[in-house]
Amino acid sequence: MKMQFLSFVKNMSLSLNQIAQQLDSDSTRDRMVALANLRDIPAEDAVPLIKKVLNDQSLQIRSMAVFALGIKQTDESFPILLNILETESDYGIRADAAGALGYLEDIRAFEPLVRLFYEDTDWLVRFSAAVALGNLKDARAKQVLMEALDSEEIVVQQAAIAALGEIKAVDAVNAILRFAQSEDWLIRQRLAEALGNMPSEKSLSALKYLEKDGNPNVAAAARVALERLSTEDI
């Protein structure tokens, strides 16, 4: 059913006026199609339309709209997302806003995302904040990401490992190597991917070990990372 809907949206191209009209439709499906059709609209034209449904009665529509603000970047995008981050009661929408801020790659989001990670009690929001901090590629995120490694939620650990790789925190290699024998293969895959951004002798050794992992996804990620490190001076 989902694939049928996506195919329908892909084959349906709407004009700006048609999109605006559909965003006012009583049909959730119409509004969803309209939002999807904003993908080919320039940001300066798309954002005013996205703003129309930021408080939509449908959480799915609101989620799509918040995500779209991270892709359609204008001067309005950052303050709108920051306001959502600070005032939204729904944890899913807060997580969406954090993710969208990461897409913006606006360094002004660093401190709000750090506060969000420490203060929000929902694991999905903290996961999204960790991922976004990695997207910002700011070395200052190292401390909060190191603490995220000790999270009770595996997905938050996964996000922290990946983000440490994104910020190229080579001095965090020792801290993430403890996950090399994790029972969760996604953690081992994230570890392999992260080590590919952390050129060091320990990274090379760990990747050679992970290259022999029983999970094909982990082994493939390790091989790609080893190829990447082969071009680095270690």
Side-chain angles (χ1 to χ4, degrees):
M1 188 70 178
K2 183 178 179 182
M3 291 301 294
Q4 290 176 342
F5 173 73
L6 291 176
S7 177
F8 171 76
V9 170
K10 185 177 181 181
N11 294 322
M12 186 173 183
S13 179
L14 302 178
S15 70
L16 198 60
N17 286 337
Q18 288 174 315
I19 292 173
Q21 291 173 6
Q22 282 209 320
L23 286 174
D24 290 327
S25 170
D26 291 334
S27 166
T28 300
R29 180 185 176 87
D30 285 348
R31 299 196 303 279
M32 197 178 300
V33 169
L35 274 175
N37 270 278
L38 287 175
R39 65 187 181 280
D40 298 321
I41 303 298
E44 59 270 20
D45 294 323
V47 168
L49 295 177
I50 293 169
K51 288 164 61 178
K52 294 178 65 173
V53 289
L54 282 174
N55 294 309
D56 197 274
Q57 61 184 4
S58 164
L59 278 177
Q60 188 174 6
I61 295 293
R62 293 178 64 200
S63 176
M64 288 178 66
V66 170
F67 175 78
L69 282 177
I71 305 300
K72 300 295 183 180
Q73 303 181 15
T74 70
D75 290 340
E76 288 188 277
S77 300
F78 178 81
I80 291 174
L81 288 170
L82 186 61
N83 181 64
I84 293 171
L85 202 68
E86 296 174 344
T87 62
E88 177 58 50
S89 60
D90 184 86
Y91 71 89
I93 302 298
R94 291 198 307 277
D96 291 330
L101 282 171
Y103 275 110
L104 290 182
E105 297 184 4
D106 189 323
I107 202 62
R108 292 178 296 171
F110 175 77
E111 291 183 0
L113 287 171
V114 169
R115 281 199 305 273
L116 187 70
F117 181 83
Y118 282 127
E119 297 175 4
D120 206 289
T121 57
D122 191 273
W123 68 265
L124 181 61
V125 180
R126 298 177 77 238
F127 162 79
S128 191
V131 172
L133 284 169
N135 288 338
L136 293 184
K137 295 178 174 59
D138 189 319
R140 293 178 298 166
K142 178 191 168 186
Q143 182 57 45
V144 62
L145 294 174
M146 292 284 282
E147 293 182 36
L149 293 175
D150 295 323
S151 171
E152 294 180 359
E153 299 291 341
I154 290 178
V155 292
V156 176
Q157 293 176 336
Q158 292 172 3
I161 293 168
L164 284 166
E166 290 288 343
I167 67 172
K168 302 183 186 300
V170 177
D171 52 350
V173 168
N174 283 341
I176 64 175
L177 284 182
R178 62 185 164 106
F179 294 98
Q181 295 182 330
S182 171
E183 293 183 359
D184 186 277
W185 69 267
L186 273 173
I187 280 192
R188 302 197 306 277
Q189 181 177 341
R190 296 292 173 265
L191 174 61
E193 293 165 349
L195 290 172
N197 292 321
M198 300 170 158
S200 71
E201 292 294 342
K202 288 186 176 180
S203 295
L204 281 174
S205 178
L207 284 169
K208 289 176 182 176
Y209 171 79
L210 291 169
E211 191 179 19
K212 301 173 184 176
D213 195 278
N215 184 285
N217 295 301
V218 177
R223 283 193 294 273
V224 170
L226 281 169
E227 289 176 9
R228 184 181 301 122
L229 289 185
S230 67
T231 64
E232 300 280 349
D233 292 327
I234 298 177

